[in-house]
Amino acid sequence: DYSRKAIQWNPEQPESYFILGNAHYATKDFDQAIEYFNKAIAIKSDYGEAYINCGIVFHELKQYEQACANYNKAIQINPTSAYAHNNLGNSLQELNSMEEAIESYKEAIRLHPEYAEAHANLGNALQKINHLDDAIDSYTKAIQIKQPNAEIYTNLGNALQKSNRMKESLPYYFQAIKLNPSDGMSYCRLGNALLDLKRFAESQDAFEKALQLQPQNAEAFYSRGNLFLQQNKLELAIQDHQKAIEINPDFDFLQGSLQHLKMYLCDWADFSSQLEEICAKVSTQKKSSDPFSLLTLKDSPNIQRTCAETFSNSKFSIQDKLPIISFRNEKPKIRLGYFSADFHHHATAYLMADFFEIHNKERFELIAISFGPNIGSDMRERLIKSFDQFIEVGHLTDKEIAQISRNLEIDIAIDLKGYTRDARPSIFSYRAAPIQLSYLGYPGTMGSDCIDYLIADKVLIPPNYVECYSEKIIYLPNSYQVNDRKKIISDHIFSKRELQLPERGFVFCCFNNNYKITPEIFDVWMRILNKVEGSVLWLLEDNETAKRNLQKEAVKRGVNIERLIFAKRIPLAEHLARHRFADLFIDILPCNGHTTTSDALWAGLPVITQLGNSFASRVSASLLHAVNLPQLITNNINEYEELAIHLANNSNELSLIKAKLAKDIMTSPLFDTPLFTKGIEAAYEMVMNRYLKKLPPDHLIVEG
């Protein structure tokens, strides 16, 4: 009222309009607030405070460009206004102009070094672009200047957690909760840190508290779902992830991973429509799926590359904290770093153990960078003995691991994980070595500028598919897949009764994980069973729910459930031995059997496959070429079906194929580990020679 009277007495008094603008802002009457601030500015064109407050209102209205225009005007009037620079940074963040936002915060701090809010806001911007160490420094500075609010403690905890410093993050979450006990998000983030530390009971308590405080907290449902997933409570995990996506349909990368998770249970409800929607979103760079989930669902190398690039750009942007690696002159030995979480009883270890042992130690120095579980076993001891150095780094941050690699002067960093479980691709965004390549663990492109090469072969990636991969391709002369010629097949004598197999009838088998089974391939399998009288299909049993669902799907397709036989997981040597009770291994699409295919061939069991388009859908074809059985590769699903039926009805022809496989198994390239080793060592020499000549990465063909 006083301001209105002041305006009546003196309509040219800008301060009165300014005060009225603030009053209307306080009551959230934003349109009137803007009107009064503009009236003040019309009278006094250099009224910097009015421009700032007008910018604040526009920011509140989410009209960030107008907010920036007002802040910039205020800065023109008073370049030393730290407050204006800080607020400009906030609006620039909302516009995703992160570099400009960071410069605005830095200018605010230069003008006012003790400006705690600017330090905290700078931390937020730095964290968004994954400059985590700088973000941690900014939050820490804000806390040192003044007692912060709960949000700053939470954000500092988040940055520490993203840096793999889980234990360090916990006190900050606890402090945030102490300051604001009603903030469900702090409980959620605390739960995530506890989950990473495998403190499952405490983690679940934190998620339950978060959901009690915020029943519509999508992130809390998602995180609790991840907890259930780690505990192998798949149904509960699916329920929580479904709830998260109902609350937030655009939850980053969740739609694809939820569909992938359903595949573990062979839950195919709305499979086709969901997959179509996921792929449509991925094609327009939307964060609809993580790369691994899509790779198992869709045979399209183009879409897989788009998905990988979107994921990489969002999660693992190139870090600028570590300096560029200085050029290194040639050394007597090329130093190789193998990075993995799987140096234990894992499929990767079973494939690579012999290879590591016979690596040329005169020309190469082998260093294992292990960030997985330290599980004592015969396999782990065998692997440790095969390396010159075996370094445990699981407790370290990605940046620290990259720095260790640099300190060791590793020349070629070989990522054996890609985007599979327990992968840490951010290590390579720090440049762990001058040359970085992807091999074996992930059958597809990383979509990242940080990975220079992908090891493949000419079957996996024909020339017309090269553009679907962000890496330069190293073509090995035979199959890309290494194998262990010392892999033991148990001499245990099984009986058909013990394996629950019928005494008579043709036995088709597929021992791939259940999540790879799609409705389309299952349709074909059921047609095959219907056309081969008395035949059965022998599958791996991942879980009881998947088993029941597959039985239901079989009945829908006119197949008695007794014709599906389920095999429990058993030790590898015994698993290989039971292959002799199958007649034919029928492969899977769009993600082929990889280790499972080579296991079947090693056990003497023929495999038929359909040649797909993507890396993951061409692996079995690569292996069959390398074991001299190209006649078992089909070009489409109809040929695949016809070949399976033909071989089941022509026992003599199948016997000849088995005899050929048994005869060639130790002389074919697929199981000739020394031959493979020479090929990949030649590849390492080639990429190192290009580096020493200061040439950029390029596609390379290893002759063999």
Side-chain angles (χ1 to χ4, degrees):
D1 289 343
Y2 175 80
S3 297
R4 294 183 190 280
K5 289 178 181 178
I7 290 170
Q8 290 174 357
W9 294 331
N10 184 3
E12 299 303 313
Q13 184 69 23
E15 286 78 10
S16 298
Y17 291 106
F18 179 73
I19 293 169
L20 274 173
N22 289 336
H24 282 285
Y25 172 70
T27 61
K28 298 191 180 299
D29 186 357
F30 296 141
D31 290 339
Q32 281 292 298
I34 291 170
E35 182 179 337
Y36 281 114
F37 288 138
N38 283 335
K39 285 183 177 180
I41 290 166
I43 297 168
K44 183 181 179 182
S45 61
D46 62 347
Y47 203 161
E49 293 86 349
Y51 278 112
I52 291 173
N53 286 13
C54 195
I56 291 171
V57 178
F58 278 120
H59 186 96
E60 193 87 12
L61 290 168
K62 299 184 179 180
Q63 298 178 27
Y64 302 118
E65 291 181 355
Q66 291 95 322
C68 289
N70 278 274
Y71 294 138
N72 279 320
K73 189 66 177 177
I75 290 167
Q76 288 176 11
I77 295 165
N78 180 11
T80 63
S81 173
Y83 186 58
H85 285 287
N86 176 71
N87 285 6
L88 175 61
N90 291 340
S91 292
L92 287 167
Q93 267 209 75
E94 296 294 344
L95 291 169
N96 207 32
S97 300
M98 304 309 299
E99 296 299 335
E100 294 176 58
I102 288 168
E103 291 306 312
S104 293
Y105 295 133
K106 287 182 177 179
E107 181 63 14
I109 291 166
R110 186 188 69 80
L111 293 166
H112 182 10
E114 299 301 299
Y115 195 172
E117 288 79 9
H119 284 286
N121 290 333
L122 175 60
N124 294 339
L126 290 165
Q127 184 166 185
K128 283 183 179 178
I129 61 171
N130 291 323
H131 292 185
L132 300 177
D133 293 321
D134 289 338
I136 290 166
D137 291 342
S138 292
Y139 293 133
T140 303
K141 182 65 175 177
I143 291 170
Q144 291 170 347
I145 293 170
K146 60 177 278 189
Q147 177 71 23
N149 57 31
E151 184 179 1
I152 296 176
Y153 278 115
T154 298
N155 289 339
L156 175 53
N158 295 343
L160 288 164
Q161 188 178 155
K162 287 180 183 177
S163 298
N164 203 40
R165 294 160 66 176
M166 304 304 170
K167 287 184 179 178
E168 292 179 61
S169 74
L170 296 181
Y172 296 104
Y173 290 130
F174 287 127
Q175 186 64 28
I177 290 167
K178 181 179 178 181
L179 288 171
N180 186 5
S182 63
D183 180 22
M185 191 54 73
S186 293
Y187 279 102
C188 180
R189 300 293 168 75
L190 171 63
N192 284 329
L194 292 165
L195 175 58
D196 283 325
L197 292 168
K198 308 297 183 186
R199 291 161 62 172
F200 294 148
E202 295 169 83
S203 176
Q204 183 162 350
D205 287 344
F207 294 139
E208 304 286 358
K209 185 65 175 177
L211 289 168
Q212 179 184 339
L213 292 166
Q214 296 177 332
Q216 295 299 301
N217 188 328
E219 186 172 332
F221 277 111
Y222 171 72
S223 299
R224 191 177 67 175
N226 289 339
L227 165 66
F228 290 140
L229 183 58
Q230 288 204 29
Q231 296 174 313
N232 207 34
K233 300 175 181 178
L234 299 179
E235 289 92 342
L236 292 175
I238 289 171
Q239 288 175 18
D240 272 2
H241 283 184
Q242 187 70 58
K243 184 65 176 176
I245 210 165
E246 288 171 6
I247 296 168
N248 179 9
D250 296 321
F251 198 108
D252 284 359
F253 307 111
L254 182 54
Q255 189 175 4
S257 64
L258 174 59
Q259 185 58 51
H260 176 65
L261 187 53
K262 288 180 179 179
M263 301 300 282
Y264 279 91
L265 301 181
C266 297
D267 176 358
W268 300 334
D270 301 321
F271 174 83
S272 297
S273 60
Q274 281 295 310
L275 182 56
E276 183 178 350
E277 183 178 330
I278 290 165
C279 291
K281 289 179 179 178
V282 167
S283 296
T284 56
Q285 290 87 47
K286 290 183 179 177
K287 301 174 184 178
S288 178
S289 178
D290 64 283
F292 182 76
S293 295
L294 189 67
L295 181 147
T296 66
L297 298 169
K298 182 68 174 178
D299 181 23
S300 170
N302 277 315
I303 291 178
Q304 288 177 10
R305 175 169 181 170
T306 301
C307 181
E309 288 176 339
T310 301
F311 189 78
S312 176
N313 291 336
S314 174
K315 297 277 189 179
F316 312 109
S317 58
I318 294 175
Q319 305 289 342
D320 66 353
K321 187 66 177 177
L322 293 177
I324 294 173
I325 299 174
S326 299
F327 180 78
R328 297 174 183 169
N329 293 316
E330 186 172 10
K331 299 190 291 286
K333 291 184 180 182
I334 297 173
R335 199 161 291 166
L336 305 175
Y338 287 95
F339 292 69
S340 183
D342 300 331
F343 293 122
H344 54 87
H345 282 299
H346 185 277
T348 298
Y350 285 119
L351 289 174
M352 299 193 76
D354 189 21
F355 162 71
F356 289 138
E357 289 169 340
I358 66 173
H359 232 314
N360 183 352
K361 304 303 195 313
E362 299 298 318
R363 181 63 180 122
F364 299 95
E365 183 177 346
L366 272 63
I367 301 173
I369 305 295
S370 174
F371 45 83
N374 187 354
I375 301 172
S377 65
D378 293 342
M379 173 57 77
R380 190 170 182 85
E381 288 303 311
R382 181 182 173 189
L383 292 170
I384 289 172
K385 290 176 182 177
S386 67
F387 285 94
D388 295 295
Q389 296 185 63
F390 193 97
I391 302 173
E392 299 281 1
V393 297
H395 60 292
L396 300 177
T397 69
D398 294 334
K399 180 191 169 190
E400 288 170 336
I401 296 170
Q403 188 61 65
I404 285 175
S405 178
R406 287 168 170 235
N407 293 344
L408 290 167
E409 293 194 351
I410 287 174
D411 297 305
I412 304 174
I414 301 126
D415 178 17
L416 299 175
K417 289 298 298 175
Y419 291 133
T420 56
R421 181 177 293 183
D422 299 323
R424 294 182 62 177
S426 188
I427 293 168
F428 306 98
S429 67
Y430 285 102
R431 269 285 154 187
I435 304 165
Q436 301 188 146
L437 57 84
S438 176
Y439 176 57
L440 193 64
Y442 182 71
T445 183
M446 295 290 288
S448 168
D449 293 338
C450 305
I451 302 298
D452 305 306
Y453 295 98
L454 172 63
I455 296 179
D457 60 57
K458 292 179 181 178
V459 175
L460 290 174
I461 306 177
N464 56 315
Y465 285 126
V466 165
E467 295 303 317
C468 300
Y469 298 82
S470 61
E471 305 86 354
K472 298 300 181 183
I473 310 303
I474 297 173
Y475 288 100
L476 296 186
N478 301 296
S479 176
Y480 88 111
Q481 191 189 82
V482 62
N483 274 279
D484 186 346
R485 61 188 169 164
K486 300 174 185 174
K487 194 181 295 182
I488 296 171
I489 300 177
S490 171
D491 56 7
H492 177 80
I493 305 299
F494 288 99
S495 67
K496 285 192 172 184
R497 184 175 182 179
E498 182 182 359
L499 298 172
Q500 299 181 332
L501 292 170
E503 290 299 325
R504 295 180 180 178
F506 194 91
V507 179
F508 296 101
C509 83
C510 183
F511 290 138
N512 283 291
N513 289 312
N514 291 170
Y515 70 77
K516 291 186 177 184
I517 304 175
T518 65
E520 182 181 14
I521 197 67
F522 195 75
D523 285 342
V524 178
W525 289 349
M526 296 304 98
R527 290 201 299 268
I528 292 169
L529 291 185
N530 279 324
K531 292 176 182 178
V532 179
E533 186 177 352
S535 62
V536 297
L537 176 58
W538 196 12
L539 300 170
L540 191 68
E541 182 181 334
D542 274 339
N543 58 79
E544 187 63 31
T545 302
K547 176 181 176 180
R548 288 197 304 271
N549 283 337
L550 288 171
Q551 289 173 332
K552 290 176 184 176
E553 294 292 337
V555 171
K556 287 180 186 178
R557 292 159 176 81
V559 175
N560 192 300
I561 62 172
E562 293 179 358
R563 297 180 71 183
L564 297 188
I565 314 297
F566 291 89
K568 300 286 187 182
R569 292 185 183 273
I570 57 177
L572 178 62
E574 294 179 16
H575 172 61
L576 292 172
R578 70 182 173 186
H579 277 72
R580 65 173 63 99
F581 288 90
D583 296 300
L584 182 66
F585 192 108
I586 49 178
D587 194 26
I588 205 161
L589 283 168
C591 187
N592 289 169
H594 297 172
T595 307
T596 49
T597 297
S598 54
D599 280 349
L601 295 171
W602 179 246
L605 180 62
V607 178
I608 67 166
T609 191
Q610 178 199 331
L611 187 66
N613 299 308
S614 61
F615 188 126
S617 68
R618 300 173 72 92
V619 169
S620 290
S622 167
L623 305 185
L624 286 167
H625 271 289
V627 80
N628 303 318
L629 288 174
Q631 66 268 39
L632 299 182
I633 304 167
T634 64
N635 295 308
N636 56 60
I637 203 68
N638 291 330
E639 287 184 10
Y640 170 95
E641 180 180 340
E642 290 169 4
L643 180 60
I645 296 168
H646 174 78
L647 291 175
N649 291 324
N650 290 271
S651 57
N652 289 339
E653 184 175 341
L654 183 57
S655 295
L656 290 174
I657 291 171
K658 288 183 177 180
K660 184 178 188 312
L661 177 59
K663 173 177 171 291
D664 293 349
I665 202 158
M666 291 307 295
T667 57
S668 67
L670 184 60
F671 297 108
D672 190 338
T673 317
L675 178 65
F676 171 87
T677 304
K678 288 179 182 177
I680 201 168
E681 287 177 346
Y684 294 154
E685 295 271 11
M686 291 170 75
V687 298
M688 196 66 202
N689 286 338
R690 287 192 67 82
Y691 170 77
L692 293 171
K693 293 176 181 177
K694 300 185 178 180
L695 295 172
D698 200 358
H699 302 301
L700 300 172
I701 299 174
V702 180
E703 302 296 340

